[in-house]
Amino acid sequence: MFTCCVVLCAGLIRKVWIKWNESPVIVSFAETSTPVWQIPYPAVTVCFETKAMQTRFNFTEYYHLYYNESTLANLTEEEKHLFEDISLVCDDHLSPPGGRKISNGNETVNNIRVTSPNITDVFFGCKWKDAPRDSCTDLFSPILTEEGQCYTFNTLGASEMFRTENLHQEYGYLEHENSADNWTLEDGYPPMTPLETYPHRGSGYGVKTGLTFLLKAKETDLDYLCKGPVQGFKILLHNPAELPRLSQQYFRSPLSQEVVVAVKPKMMTTSEGLRPYDPTRRQCYFPTERYLRYFKVYTQANCEMECLTNFTNVRCGCVQFGMPHGPNMSVCNAGNRDCMKQAQVELVTVEILSGLDPHTSHNDTLGDARAVAAECRCLPACTSIEYEAETSQADYDWKAIYRAYKLPIEDDIDDLFYARVMIFFKEAQFITSRRSELYGQTDFLANCGGLLGLFMGFSILSVAEILYFLTLRLCCILWRRRRSKIREANKTKENE
Ligand SMILES: *[C@@H]1O[C@H](CO)[C@@H](O)[C@H](O)[C@H]1NC(C)=O
Ligand SMILES: *[C@@H]1O[C@H](CO)[C@@H](O)[C@H](O)[C@H]1NC(C)=O
Ligand SMILES: *[C@@H]1O[C@H](CO)[C@@H](O)[C@H](O)[C@H]1NC(C)=O
Ligand SMILES: *[C@@H]1O[C@H](CO)[C@@H](O)[C@H](O)[C@H]1NC(C)=O
Ligand SMILES: *[C@@H]1O[C@H](CO)[C@@H](O)[C@H](O)[C@H]1NC(C)=O
Ligand SMILES: *[C@@H]1O[C@H](CO)[C@@H](O)[C@H](O)[C@H]1NC(C)=O
Ligand SMILES: *[C@@H]1O[C@H](CO)[C@@H](O)[C@H](O)[C@H]1NC(C)=O
Ligand SMILES: *[C@@H]1O[C@H](CO)[C@@H](O)[C@H](O)[C@H]1NC(C)=O
Ligand SMILES: *[C@@H]1O[C@H](CO)[C@@H](O)[C@H](O)[C@H]1NC(C)=O
């Protein structure tokens, strides 16, 4: 009977242990809903699909000159370099494979910036919380992304986003220096933060409480070669502490259309009880646990960006200009475009391949690159915010309203296109998700104790009893026996 009990008990305890070990985390909804003013308004990044304005640099014309042997010889070095630089922000197949492999980052970025539309070319007007602004420059500021020069609202300043001491000094990514007033991703806003702060916080819901902006484009500036037949703008809503990657995710705002965007935040927090666990077991990093070399704030997107930078650098010997990188990495140009594209694909598949068989890498750079990729392990941050956008759109016919007011349409505005975007929170509250302990140490102990008690009548007191009998009691008995022996010996001596 005793053996039976021990075996059964051991088997059940093993099951409990496996459960504790393998599924320590449960994701559930928080008990109370979170009002939107507790989280920042989403950062909005807008990119124009025309990368170089035709009136500043005619990409289409230079394309035909560059790809024709007889006219290529007549182009100056500068013109060739300019074309190669601009081709970096256009579709992949437009980059000449025979172009420079590596270029001076400062020069490349300057060429892209000078030819791209500036903020007054792109924005016609902005409204924040239903109050019109004189100019959009105090809301939007330039940002350099993989897609070239774009404009961003509510993103953290350069000194709070990047570890500037590890970055190169050739050119900057973010120009504005709006500093976050004590907002952190982990702790949110401090309790006494005023309503007007930076990053701007959500306040209320509905169209009137959000951001509205009017974009414009001139027909003569549009370039249909660079990005293909779809013109308009790309927009991404992201966390203010994150560098946007518009080549991966975005929604469109077409020309002559109004887009209405209702935002639903998606937030995930993590209970303190999970802090002692290993990050891979809880599947997230607390901010102090993971150091990124180029970013101050850990988020999954920032980590993936850095990982791709490291990987591309090992694979191609250079990185894309839009990736934050250190002073020892050089900037790729048109000749390395295929390599960069391939590296991006490889990074996704390298984990699967290295899982399949780790010893087949005959290629040195691939082996090194795998080592870099293995180091990444970009888990989500324990506190993360995402914004889900629900869009709807309708025609925006500005000429009809001019005609209705009987206003003349001048020649210089006749070829303008407008696009309007409204972004606002859909609801006043949202429910956060929460990672917490499914099965803590206490639960584990209670379960084991229950089983031991059921099968073996076991308790802490019985452990104490066993210890007592094995140590104190034993000593006591031995000591007493020795004393009684000595006494007897003494008695026999006395008797003698
Ligand atoms: C750019 O070049 C193309 C082809 O040569 C030409 O059709 C177009 O009119 C030019 N655009 C401008 C703004 O000069
Ligand atoms: C190359 O340019 C020359 C001179 O402009 C022109 O005659 C020729 O047709 C062009 N070739 C091609 C393939 O476009
Ligand atoms: C190239 O330049 C030379 C000299 O300026 C000129 O004679 C020739 O016609 C040009 N070729 C083309 C294809 O434009
Ligand atoms: C943008 O470019 C136009 C010329 O196209 C210029 O007049 C304007 O001052 C520039 N705006 C800024 C903010 O640089
Ligand atoms: C970058 O280039 C601009 C002009 O092309 C120059 O004024 C600036 O000093 C350069 N910056 C660096 C860090 O080389
Ligand atoms: C941020 O917090 C520090 C310390 O609590 C305080 O001294 C500082 O004034 C705060 N800054 C802002 C902009 O609220
Ligand atoms: C960067 O290059 C310099 C000199 O070329 C070298 O001393 C330094 O260790 C390098 N830094 C890194 C992080 O590789
Ligand atoms: C190693 O990879 C590089 C870059 O993809 C490629 O050019 C080279 O041919 C590869 N070498 C071997 C032996 O596969
Ligand atoms: C990228 O490389 C740097 C320097 O080698 C390293 O410190 C950093 O942790 C790497 N980043 C990632 C995400 O692996």
Side-chain angles (χ1 to χ4, degrees), residues 312-328:
T312 315
N313 185 44
V314 174
R315 207 71 180 99
C316 308
C318 56
V319 299
Q320 219 254 8
F321 66 87
M323 301 170 172
H325 57 95
N328 283 14

Side-chain angles (χ1 to χ4, degrees), residues 220-235:
T220 51
D221 280 327
L222 302 184
D223 192 303
Y224 284 93
L225 192 66
C226 179
K227 277 285 180 180
V230 182
Q231 285 298 327
F233 301 88
K234 280 180 174 178
I235 300 178

Side-chain angles (χ1 to χ4, degrees), residues 467-483:
L467 281 179
Y468 168 74
F469 277 111
L470 283 181
T471 55
L472 275 180
R473 184 72 190 215
L474 213 63
C475 289
C476 229
I477 290 172
L478 287 179
W479 184 70
R480 247 190 227 158
R481 210 173 268 171
R482 248 180 61 195
R483 269 197 52 183

Side-chain angles (χ1 to χ4, degrees), residues 335-351:
N336 263 328
R337 189 80 190 264
D338 285 338
C339 182
M340 288 193 280
K341 196 175 145 193
Q342 200 193 340
Q344 205 159 343
V345 176
E346 275 174 358
L347 181 58
V348 181
T349 53
V350 79
E351 256 176 70

Side-chain angles (χ1 to χ4, degrees), residues 13 16-17 20 439-453 458 460:
I13 285 183
V16 170
W17 190 76
W20 180 56
Y439 210 60
Q441 272 162 352
T442 325
D443 303 289
F444 178 64
L445 205 66
N447 269 351
C448 290
L451 288 173
L452 284 167
F458 186 86
I460 294 290

